Amino acid sequence: MNRAEIGEPEPRRGPLAGPLPPLALATFAVGTDAFVMAGLLPAIAADLEVGVPAAGQLVTVFALTLAVAAPVLSWLLSPLDRRTVLQLSLIVFTVGNIVTALSPTYTPALLARILTAAGAATITATASSAAVAITPAERRGRAMALVIGGLTLSTALGMPLGNLIGGVDWRLTLWAVAALGVVAAIGVSVALPKVVLPVTGLTARLAPLRRPKVLTILAVTLLVMAGHYALYTYIGPLTAGATTGSFPQALTMVLFVWGVGVLGGNLFAGHLADRLAAPGIAVAALISGTVLLAISPLMVGHLVLTCVWAAIWGATDGMASVVQQHRLVTIAPASAPVLLGLNSSAIYLGVAMGGGLGGLAQDQLPVTMLGVPAAALALLATIVTVAERRADRTRHAMAVGRP
């Protein structure tokens, strides 16, 4: 997908800036909204007069709605220019958060979370496809890393800050997220040019889904996210031995260094993807992540050791996120909205699956051993990627007539 295909002038080759920061802010708002609610559940449950498990359904319904709506809405909205799609999505996202903040009882809040998720569903994929469209091919990895970095930064800053604000009133957190949505919408309207993707029929847009490589990449995204979030979902009890008795914000510090590690991994993988073969980067990231998950039982007993381990583990997670998206876009740039929407679904389904499997695993294992089944999922993702890479090499060798 080049500039001629979208009817825009050739982009400047200076530093990555311009429209990209508003796109990153949009993904930051979505990430904060998606992850901050978990830390606010006790306060939400008390205010809405329901149990904590019922309040937890606000998180579940958001993730499931987003996972289902992302590919569907990405396909339905693909004929529109990217700026218009982001404006509409951010408006719905903002309204959903405002309605949630104003909800007097549980049922309106639940419905408002569904509305919010419908708005959020296309934001990450649309922001990524817009970044790809306005950036030269040799810099797309870095552009995607910057945009996805907003989503990553939400785990490092958005979640702790949201919980800090929510300590006063959980509704204030949602008002703050709504304000982020407004600022992002303004930034997109001002800085992002009108980006029209090539007009193709439904059959052409869905054609990449017939390619085993695309389905393999999506399956790997699902598996690796399930592996990482089988552990991350329970990072509080997992690191209790290191954080209990240290200082009140010890867990927040662990979350922060993990998020900083993910952000660093995002940016590093973006630079590598512009220079090296993406499958090799994916294998390296997946192997590293598997090792970090597997050794977690040895790393969570002392605060300093836990923080170092969390930062490195986060970096492997961040690398995998960027390179998976980069691989999809490289395969079929014209189908980027649909493919990135499906990738968003795989991410959130993986998060939900990982949390569920991590909870089930605790019936058989102590929480400090969750890294073992988590590493098994990450190892499976690694094996699938290695097998797919070898199959690619074999097909290439046969195509050029080599044995």
Side-chain angles (χ1 to χ4, degrees):
M1 180 165 50
N2 54 45
R3 298 296 289 185
E5 290 176 315
I6 61 174
E8 293 290 336
E10 191 68 23
R12 290 185 298 118
R13 308 216 170 219
L16 291 173
L20 297 184
L23 298 178
L25 180 61
T27 63
F28 176 80
V30 170
T32 301
D33 195 33
F35 296 117
V36 77
M37 293 292 285
L40 303 175
L41 291 184
I44 294 172
D47 190 15
L48 299 181
E49 299 180 348
V50 296
V52 171
Q57 298 308 306
L58 297 175
V59 176
T60 302
V61 76
F62 181 93
L64 291 178
T65 301
L66 194 150
V68 172
V72 176
L73 292 177
S74 293
W75 165 59
L76 290 175
L77 298 175
S78 59
L80 300 179
D81 70 272
R82 302 297 85 191
R83 183 174 63 190
T84 299
V85 174
L86 280 171
Q87 289 169 332
L88 293 173
S89 299
L90 285 164
I91 289 171
V92 174
F93 172 80
T94 300
V95 170
N97 275 292
I98 291 173
V99 174
T100 306
L102 294 174
S103 296
T105 58
Y106 177 75
T107 299
L110 189 68
L111 296 175
R113 293 307 288 168
I114 295 174
L115 177 65
T116 306
T122 60
I123 290 175
T124 300
T126 304
S128 296
S129 62
V132 168
I134 63 177
T135 306
E138 69 274 12
R139 308 189 74 178
R140 284 177 182 167
R142 281 167 284 179
M144 292 179 67
L146 181 59
V147 173
I148 298 301
L151 188 65
T152 300
L153 193 62
S154 68
T155 62
L157 293 179
M159 196 161 64
L161 288 174
N163 279 296
L164 185 64
I165 297 171
V168 179
D169 185 342
W170 67 271
R171 298 175 189 271
L172 291 178
T173 298
L174 298 180
W175 283 108
V177 173
L180 287 175
V182 171
V183 174
I186 294 172
V188 165
S189 300
V190 171
L192 183 67
K194 186 177 182 180
V195 179
V196 181
L197 301 182
V199 178
T200 57
L202 175 61
T203 301
R205 287 199 293 269
L206 298 182
L209 297 180
R210 294 196 294 268
R211 299 178 63 173
K213 186 172 182 177
V214 169
L215 298 178
T216 299
I217 293 173
L218 293 173
V220 168
T221 296
L222 176 68
L223 287 170
V224 73
M225 293 302 292
H228 282 278
Y229 277 83
L231 197 65
Y232 182 79
T233 302
Y234 303 97
I235 195 169
L238 174 76
T239 60
T243 57
T244 302
S246 297
F247 57 95
Q249 287 76 38
L251 177 57
T252 300
M253 185 174 75
V254 173
L255 293 172
F256 176 75
V257 298
W258 183 86
V260 170
V262 178
L263 181 60
N266 277 163
L267 299 177
F268 182 55
H271 280 275
L272 289 180
D274 288 334
R275 292 168 171 79
L276 304 174
I281 304 170
V283 171
L286 292 171
I287 291 175
S288 301
T290 301
V291 171
L292 269 294
L293 290 169
I295 66 173
S296 62
L298 306 176
M299 301 288 112
V300 293
H302 187 277
L303 184 59
V304 173
L305 187 62
T306 298
C307 287
V308 172
W309 164 77
I312 301 173
W313 168 38
T316 66
D317 186 31
M319 289 183 67
S321 298
V322 170
V323 76
Q324 288 294 97
Q325 293 210 30
H326 190 275
R327 295 179 71 198
L328 287 172
V329 170
T330 301
I331 291 172
S335 298
V338 174
L339 293 180
L340 294 176
L342 286 168
N343 194 66
S344 292
S345 290
I347 289 172
Y348 283 98
L349 285 174
V351 170
M353 188 171 81
L357 292 176
L360 292 174
Q362 291 178 65
D363 292 336
Q364 307 295 328
L365 298 170
V367 68
T368 53
M369 295 298 293
L370 280 181
V372 175
L377 289 170
L379 178 60
L380 181 58
T382 306
I383 292 171
V384 171
T385 301
V386 170
E388 179 256 320
R389 189 184 184 198
R390 293 187 64 177
D392 264 359
R393 288 176 171 176
T394 300
R395 285 192 293 268
H396 178 71
M398 293 177 65
V400 298
R402 293 202 307 265

